[in-house]
Amino acid sequence: MVRKKISRKIILEFYQDIQRWESMVGYAANELLFLDTLLHAKAFENTAQIKTEKMLCFKLEIKTKNQEVNELKTQMELSKNNVGAFLDCEVNSGIEFSFKDYKVLKRNFGLFNTSYNQYKTEIFKHTGGIL
């Protein structure tokens, strides 16, 4: 197996990606608190049955999204620590960097970000129509 040497500059860019994703996931966690409060607002208590069922689905999905956020935060912390440790090592330490964890995290973040933005859009469309 041939191993390709990666520049520290590229690995630093990976680290910056992880920091950016970490910030975005933190923001999503705060938004989920707002969305949960919004979905439990009194304004939505006496809506039609169909809308009530949709609201119940949104409320249940918040639990899933919070779980996804927590899992991503854990993955990011591990990945950030690993990349950070690599960057802190001596240049000639012989430690090799693996793309595997970074690629998995990048994929997981992308999937979460897409599904979360769709979920948020659906909630705003639905609640905006009621208000």
Side-chain angles (χ1 to χ4, degrees):
M1 182 175 171
V2 176
R3 295 196 185 251
K4 184 177 176 183
K5 207 153 171 99
I6 305 166
S7 76
R8 292 177 79 74
K9 181 181 176 189
I10 291 174
I11 294 172
L12 181 59
E13 289 175 15
F14 294 164
Y15 188 77
Q16 291 168 340
D17 285 345
I18 294 166
Q19 287 181 312
R20 186 180 74 249
W21 300 335
E22 194 174 41
S23 175
M24 292 170 75
V25 167
Y27 184 78
N30 289 334
E31 273 187 328
L32 284 169
L33 292 172
F34 167 76
L35 292 173
D36 190 45
T37 302
L38 175 67
L39 293 173
H40 287 89
K42 290 199 181 280
F44 304 119
E45 286 180 359
N46 297 323
T47 58
Q49 184 64 28
I50 294 172
K51 291 183 179 182
T52 302
E53 288 176 19
K54 187 71 172 169
M55 294 295 279
L56 182 59
C57 289
F58 286 142
K59 290 175 186 178
L60 292 173
E61 184 69 16
I62 279 188
K63 292 178 184 178
T64 302
K65 293 299 176 197
N66 276 315
Q67 184 177 352
E68 290 173 6
V69 162
N70 290 331
E71 289 170 4
L72 271 173
K73 282 181 177 182
T74 300
Q75 287 177 349
M76 287 180 190
E77 190 63 30
L78 290 171
S79 200
K80 189 169 111 178
N81 287 340
N82 290 338
V83 173
F86 180 86
L87 290 171
D88 289 340
C89 287
E90 295 291 320
V91 176
N92 296 324
S93 67
I95 295 176
E96 294 182 18
F97 180 78
S98 169
F99 281 115
K100 183 181 173 189
D101 292 339
Y102 174 79
K103 286 181 181 180
V104 168
L105 178 58
K106 182 177 182 176
R107 183 181 66 68
N108 290 347
F109 173 77
L111 292 171
F112 168 78
N113 198 42
T114 299
S115 71
Y116 174 71
N117 284 326
Q118 289 171 345
Y119 170 69
K120 188 171 57 170
T121 299
E122 289 287 320
I123 287 177
F124 289 140
K125 282 182 185 177
H126 188 74
T127 57
I130 294 172
L131 294 175

